[in-house]
């Protein structure tokens, strides 16, 4: 569910091309925000784009393939626990950093990123580079995405306070109409539209990325009317980056060493580390737009920054994992040579 297709940039360039496009949408929304009638039209188009996105998410996820991976249930439970239990607990612990380290205006966005499901494509990519269990990464990412459709809004309603998020009849109706209903419709219609999606995968990929850019532009256009940049100083943004760096380091360590304590083999540990420590920008941005409404601009900033950070750090880790020496399989005991003809082996 995450748009991993990148713009063509030099291999040495440290920033993901799609993140640059997102930053461009932020700048456009800041410098040329939609106002008046244009803002109303943009809001309706953004709402429709989110619904179509989640329909496509549902239509692409193969329930049958995920059910086949249930045999490795311990790994999937471990990834779900890191994504929806450990991450939220660390996000709640971050409240102790408000207001001296984390700005109150950014904390809800920081906590929200801790509630977002894991990625699929980038987890698969990094697991493959690191010579891990790719099949497990596919299933774990898919499970996380489906669970996140239901669990992330519920956790957000229970844990987030202020900033536009909250548990109300209106928010439940928006979640149902804009997220859950299209997703379930995609799952139900998958057998009929699956072939079309495969044939037009490239075009639909452009639609995915363009829709998310539209959501970001709409959020920051609306945020400009509220003067969001006057609320956040560069020092506060740097402090947020520092806190997110610590969060990512802690989760990378917990998933790697914790999975070893749980008895997982190296290939499974690689899948757990990459699927259990990452957050989906593609799923999180539309959710934030629905959950936070007019306050979505500040809510998506922490997730956008964390997304770029996780790509850069996990790329380095994946290359290092690829260079690890994989222990050879246990040697079989030597087989005794056959006895010469005419003799009996005693």
């Amino acid at each position: 569910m995450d748009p991993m297709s990148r713009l063509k940039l030099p291999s040495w360039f440290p920033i993901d091309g799609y993140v640059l496009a997102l930053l461009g949408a932020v700048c456009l929304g800041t410098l040329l925000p939609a106002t008046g009638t244009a803002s109303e039209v943009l809001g309706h188009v953004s709402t429709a784009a989110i619904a179509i996105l989640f329909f496509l998410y549902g239509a692409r996820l193969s329930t049958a393939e995920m059910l086949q991976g249930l045999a490795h249930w311990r790994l999937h439970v471990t990834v779900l626990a890191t994504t929806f239990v450990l991450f939220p607990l660390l996000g709640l612990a971050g409240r102790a950093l408000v207001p001296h380290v984390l700005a109150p205006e950014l904390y809800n966005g920081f906590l929200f990123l801790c509630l977002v499901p894991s990625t699929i494509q980038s987890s698969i990519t990094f697991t493959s580079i690191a010579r891990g269990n790719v099949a497990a990464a596919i299933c774990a990412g898919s499970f996380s995405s489906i669970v996140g459709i239901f669990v992330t809004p519920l956790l957000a309603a229970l844990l987030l306070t202020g900033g536009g998020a909250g548990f109300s009849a209106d928010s439940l109706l928006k979640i149902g109409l804009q997220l859950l209903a299209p997703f379930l419709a995609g799952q139900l219609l998958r057998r009929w539209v699956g072939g079309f999606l495969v044939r037009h995968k490239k075009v639909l990929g452009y639609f995915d990325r363009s829709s998310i850019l539209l959501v970001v532009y709409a959020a920051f256009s609306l945020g400009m009317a509220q003067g969001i940049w006057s609320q956040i100083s560069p020092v506060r943004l740097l402090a947020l980056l520092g806190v997110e760096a610590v969060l990512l380091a802690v989760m990378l360590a917990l998933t790697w060493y914790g999975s070893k304590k749980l008895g997982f083999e190296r290939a499974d540990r690689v899948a757990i580390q990459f699927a259990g420590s990452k957050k989906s920008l593609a799923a999180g941005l539309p959710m934030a737009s629905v959950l936070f409404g007019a306050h979505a601009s500040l809510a998506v900033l922490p997730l956008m920054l964390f997304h770029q950070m996780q790509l850069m750090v996990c790329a380095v880790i994946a290359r290092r994992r690829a260079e690890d020496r994989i222990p050879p399989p246990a040697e079989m005991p030597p087989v005794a040579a056959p006895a010469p003809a005419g003799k009996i082996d005693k």
Side-chain angles (χ1 to χ4, degrees):
M1 288 170 64
D2 53 318
M4 271 297 293
S5 299
R6 303 182 179 198
L7 302 178
K8 294 297 182 181
L9 293 172
S11 59
W12 50 264
F13 199 73
I15 301 180
D16 178 61
Y18 190 66
V19 172
L20 286 180
L22 288 169
L23 293 176
V26 171
C27 293
L28 187 63
T30 301
L31 299 175
L32 296 172
T35 58
T37 303
S39 178
E40 294 180 9
V41 172
L42 180 63
H44 293 308
V45 173
S46 178
T47 298
I50 291 171
I52 296 173
L53 270 178
F54 276 80
F55 173 83
L56 293 175
Y57 292 162
R60 287 170 182 155
L61 286 174
S62 173
T63 307
E65 290 178 3
M66 287 184 294
L67 291 177
Q68 292 174 5
L70 283 177
H72 215 354
W73 63 270
R74 287 183 64 246
L75 184 147
H76 303 316
V77 169
T78 301
V79 172
L80 291 175
T82 60
T83 303
F84 297 113
V85 178
L86 289 180
F87 254 114
L89 288 175
L90 291 174
L92 289 172
R95 195 184 299 274
L97 302 176
V98 179
H100 302 294
V101 178
L102 276 179
E105 299 83 1
L106 292 174
Y107 173 71
N108 267 350
F110 173 77
L111 180 55
F112 174 72
L113 89 82
C114 294
L115 313 180
V116 171
S118 178
T119 62
I120 299 179
Q121 188 58 49
S122 57
S123 295
I124 296 169
T125 300
F126 291 132
T127 300
S128 176
I129 292 172
R131 299 185 297 177
N133 189 337
V134 176
I138 293 172
C139 291
S142 300
F143 276 127
S144 179
S145 296
I146 285 189
V147 171
I149 296 294
F150 300 92
V151 171
T152 297
L154 291 177
L155 288 176
L158 292 172
L159 301 180
L160 295 175
T161 57
F167 197 83
S168 66
D170 184 57
S171 63
L172 286 178
L173 182 61
K174 286 183 178 179
I175 292 167
L177 292 177
Q178 295 186 47
L179 304 182
L180 298 183
F183 179 83
L184 293 175
Q187 281 280 288
L188 292 173
L189 298 177
R190 186 179 187 278
R191 60 180 299 184
W192 293 285
V193 302
F196 175 84
L197 296 180
V198 171
R199 290 193 301 271
H200 299 85
K201 182 178 180 180
K202 185 175 181 179
V203 174
L204 291 173
Y206 288 126
F207 173 81
D208 283 0
R209 297 188 292 277
S210 299
S211 297
I212 294 172
L213 291 174
L214 179 66
V215 169
V216 172
Y217 172 71
F220 280 88
S221 287
L222 195 57
M224 281 304 295
Q226 303 168 349
I228 59 167
W229 295 119
S230 63
Q231 303 174 40
I232 305 299
S233 68
V235 173
R236 288 295 199 178
L237 285 177
L238 287 174
L240 173 65
L241 278 172
V243 173
E244 292 189 345
V246 172
L247 174 67
L248 180 59
V250 169
M251 289 307 302
L252 287 169
L254 285 175
T255 50
W256 182 250
Y257 294 106
S259 58
K260 182 178 181 180
K261 290 290 185 182
L262 292 173
F264 288 100
E265 297 180 352
R266 178 196 177 277
D268 291 341
R269 291 173 64 199
V270 170
I272 290 171
Q273 183 175 51
F274 289 124
S277 65
K278 298 167 84 275
K279 291 295 183 179
S280 173
L281 185 73
L285 288 180
M287 285 184 181
S289 179
V290 175
L291 292 170
F292 290 90
H295 304 272
S297 51
L298 286 177
V300 302
L301 261 180
L303 180 59
M304 290 171 59
L305 295 174
F306 190 83
H307 173 79
Q308 174 59 30
M309 188 183 301
Q310 73 184 10
L311 289 181
M312 295 172 64
V313 173
C314 288
V316 173
I317 292 176
R319 294 190 188 103
R320 294 192 64 179
R321 293 271 179 264
E323 298 170 358
D324 290 346
R325 179 180 179 274
I326 301 178
E331 295 184 0
M332 297 294 292
V335 178
K343 294 185 178 180
I344 299 175
D345 185 10
K346 295 182 180 180

